[in-house]
Amino acid sequence: NSFDKILIKKQQEPESLDLILKRGFRYINMDIVKPDQIRNAAMKNLINSTVVSNSSNDLVLISQYIRDVSKELFTLERKGQMFTILRNPIQRAVSMFYYLSKADWEVNYKPEWQNWTLLDYVSSSNCENNYYTRILTGKNQRHILLSQSDVEIAMSVLRKRVLVGLLEHMSESVDRFAAYFGWWRNNGHSGDGEEETTKKKKKEGTKRCLLNDLSVRPKNVNPVKYNRIEEGSVEWVILAEKNAFDLQLYQYAKILFQDQGLYFTKKNTAR
């Protein structure tokens, strides 16, 4: 495990609070993908469970229902820290369309999209609709209408609560996450007498693994090949109209990315 963290993700039936080692990674055998799963984790007292309390390692939660996670799982005594990597909303929507039309291994697989054109998709009610804004405001259901005040709330959440990364600046984003969360530090379970050279090798190994997985040869790249959408095309214009709030939010995120970069610049200068 490059980061020596514990990821909350079910690996086998039945679900449990057991710690499972799989392919070098450690998991708590539970899902928190959906709101009912988050409530279930809260009922089982996940955050204060024995396996979490007895571990010196950070717990990693991945969920789009950040408000549910914050409300149900964390407390003033057990706080979480949030980071994300954002992508241009239009490019993200196009990628998701092609991906879900082919990804029969995904829960949200859409076989009916296989014969659709991109224009069919963007013209339909299935089209992406301000995904980022909905997540940050808790208005995930697409039937809920959004307003300008919602995007302003989303901007406030990003500004106050989130360490922002950008897909178009992946390497820089990874370096920031690593610096902030201490991923480059030695995370091994070795004894106190471990030689400095061994510690250095572990640190470099962690860095190579992280950069390789997320930046050089990322594992979460869409395996489906498709033509990139042209800015100004009919499809682009429709997507821009349907994701107007997300486009505002993304432009703001790029400003935040620059502003947050000053923190790391000052930190490096102070060394």
Side-chain angles (χ1 to χ4, degrees):
N1 186 341
S2 295
F3 325 113
D4 212 26
K5 313 300 180 188
I6 299 175
L7 180 63
I8 301 176
K9 187 176 182 182
K10 187 167 72 173
Q11 298 298 306
Q12 62 188 37
E13 296 289 354
E15 179 182 88
S16 68
L17 287 173
D18 294 337
L19 189 64
I20 293 177
L21 181 64
K22 190 172 183 180
R23 292 191 294 273
F25 290 84
R26 287 178 293 175
Y27 302 90
I28 291 180
N29 192 39
M30 177 177 289
D31 276 335
I32 55 166
V33 178
K34 301 177 181 178
D36 61 318
Q37 294 172 332
I38 295 170
R39 288 191 293 271
N40 176 56
M43 289 177 60
K44 294 184 177 180
N45 202 21
L46 168 65
I47 298 299
N48 295 307
S49 63
T50 301
V51 67
V52 174
S53 299
N54 291 345
S55 175
S56 60
N57 305 107
D58 292 335
L59 194 64
V60 179
L61 298 83
I62 301 174
S63 178
Q64 65 174 339
Y65 294 96
I66 58 175
R67 288 179 173 263
D68 295 82
V69 168
S70 177
K71 178 182 177 181
E72 299 286 350
L73 298 182
F74 292 112
T75 65
L76 291 176
E77 293 74 31
R78 301 297 295 269
K79 296 180 180 179
Q81 295 175 304
M82 185 162 51
F83 68 99
T84 189
I85 295 176
L86 299 178
R87 182 181 188 181
N88 180 289
I90 293 179
Q91 294 175 355
R92 179 190 179 278
V94 173
S95 179
M96 287 301 294
F97 162 65
Y98 286 109
Y99 176 69
L100 291 178
S101 69
K102 302 291 185 182
D104 56 5
W105 56 89
E106 291 283 358
V107 175
N108 296 325
Y109 169 52
K110 304 291 185 182
E112 65 274 18
W113 290 1
Q114 291 186 16
N115 296 319
W116 285 19
T117 65
L118 180 58
L119 183 58
D120 290 333
Y121 169 70
V122 302
S123 302
S124 75
S125 59
N126 294 283
C127 181
E128 196 72 89
N129 182 275
N130 296 296
Y131 176 80
Y132 294 143
T133 305
R134 292 185 180 281
I135 285 177
L136 291 170
T137 58
K139 297 184 177 181
N140 300 65
Q141 295 80 12
R142 63 172 59 242
H143 70 269
I144 299 177
L145 296 178
L146 299 176
S147 66
Q148 184 61 34
S149 63
D150 290 310
V151 75
E152 291 169 1
I153 291 172
M155 289 177 180
S156 178
V157 173
L158 276 186
R159 182 177 67 254
K160 297 177 180 179
R161 305 295 184 200
V162 185
L163 179 56
V164 176
L166 298 176
L167 187 66
E168 60 191 85
H169 297 290
M170 178 63 89
S171 182
E172 172 66 18
S173 299
V174 168
D175 279 339
R176 291 185 188 183
F177 297 156
Y180 188 82
F181 293 108
W183 290 346
W184 289 170
R185 293 196 300 265
N186 174 47
N187 293 317
H189 296 288
S190 55
D192 295 334
E194 183 181 41
E195 295 182 2
E196 191 64 32
T197 54
T198 303
K199 292 180 180 180
K200 184 177 180 180
K201 287 181 179 179
K202 285 189 174 182
K203 175 182 176 181
E204 290 302 316
T206 298
K207 187 171 184 177
R208 282 196 306 271
C209 179
L210 185 59
L211 289 175
N212 189 65
D213 286 352
L214 294 181
S215 182
V216 180
R217 288 195 298 272
K219 295 181 177 179
N220 62 339
V221 169
N222 189 347
V224 179
K225 303 301 180 182
Y226 62 92
N227 294 325
R228 292 179 64 86
I229 186 172
E230 293 185 13
E231 186 170 356
S233 65
V234 174
E235 293 87 351
W236 180 286
V237 170
I238 296 175
L239 279 170
E241 291 176 352
K242 291 189 174 183
N243 294 274
F245 293 133
D246 266 12
L247 286 172
Q248 286 185 55
L249 185 63
Y250 186 67
Q251 291 303 315
Y252 182 70
K254 292 200 287 187
I255 296 173
L256 271 183
F257 184 78
Q258 292 180 332
D259 291 346
Q260 290 180 356
L262 297 176
Y263 164 81
F264 297 97
T265 301
K266 291 177 181 177
K267 189 174 181 180
N268 290 332
T269 303
R271 290 177 179 174

